[in-house]
Amino acid sequence: MSDLDLSRYFIITDRKLCRDSLPTQIERLMSLPENRRMHAVVLREKDLSSDEYMSLAAAISDIAGDRLIIHSRIDIAKRLGIQKIHMTLKDMRALSHDKAFFSEKGVSAHSVSEAVEAEQLGASYIFISNIYETACKMGLPGKGEELIREVKRKVSIPVVALGGIGIGDGRKEKCLAAGADYVACMSAGMNL
């Protein structure tokens, strides 16, 4: 694992895919040399209660530090003082007075128009998906690298390609060549 370069990856968590605990998996990822560590870890874990999520977020924050991005749980991010949030476009539309608290606001988009709207609403970066077919969105065909190119022509903030991108499968390189600034993955990052 020490020869991996995850510096252009956002790793999205799913503790159910880890062979060990999620904190242990994040420790494993953080053990890479500084210049090859993941760019960020997005703590998704949608099925946890607020208390469970808060405990896990605190544990992951101790390990990942400023690489941690809270997924959608604005109240927990604020309580823990974590200034990075990732959310749906719908949540970004509703974000009002909390907007100033966050130094980084990521938004998921599925089309050029959604990406443009996310930028106009103040997003710091955009996840654009799904680029390739993925088990997370079974039966939904991938939109391809052309979607990355189209989004990059319309927005000036970083674009993160998501969907069906593994580690070492060559898709990261294709997405970066199409203009993505970063890529994101879940399964591959949880199975290392």
Side-chain angles (χ1 to χ4, degrees), residues 62-97:
D62 287 345
I63 301 163
D66 66 356
R67 285 182 164 83
L68 176 60
I69 299 173
I70 298 296
H71 190 288
S72 298
R73 309 239 188 161
I74 294 166
D75 57 328
I76 291 173
K78 289 178 73 177
R79 283 172 49 199
L80 292 174
I82 297 170
Q83 296 182 308
K84 296 180 180 183
I85 191 87
H86 187 88
M87 65 195 93
T88 65
L89 183 56
K90 180 181 175 186
D91 289 343
M92 184 65 169
R93 288 176 186 137
L95 192 66
S96 56
H97 63 281

Side-chain angles (χ1 to χ4, degrees), residues 17-57:
L17 299 175
C18 299
R19 65 178 173 249
D20 299 309
S21 71
L22 182 58
T24 299
Q25 182 62 20
I26 300 304
E27 284 176 356
R28 187 176 292 118
L29 295 171
M30 289 297 290
S31 72
L32 290 170
E34 177 71 31
N35 65 336
R36 294 199 310 249
R37 289 182 190 158
M38 63 199 157
H39 177 75
V41 58
V42 180
L43 186 60
R44 193 162 177 257
E45 308 307 325
K46 291 182 174 184
D47 64 324
L48 293 179
S49 71
S50 290
D51 288 344
E52 292 168 326
Y53 187 97
M54 181 128 157
S55 291
L56 189 57

Side-chain angles (χ1 to χ4, degrees), residues 5 17 59 63 69 77 89 133 145 148 153 170:
D5 183 355
L17 299 175
I63 301 163
I69 299 173
L89 183 56
E133 191 168 329
E145 294 135 24
I148 299 167
R153 284 193 285 270

Side-chain angles (χ1 to χ4, degrees), residues 122-136:
S124 308
Y125 67 86
I126 299 162
F127 274 14
I128 191 74
S129 71
N130 60 305
I131 302 305
Y132 305 105
E133 191 168 329
T134 175
C136 295

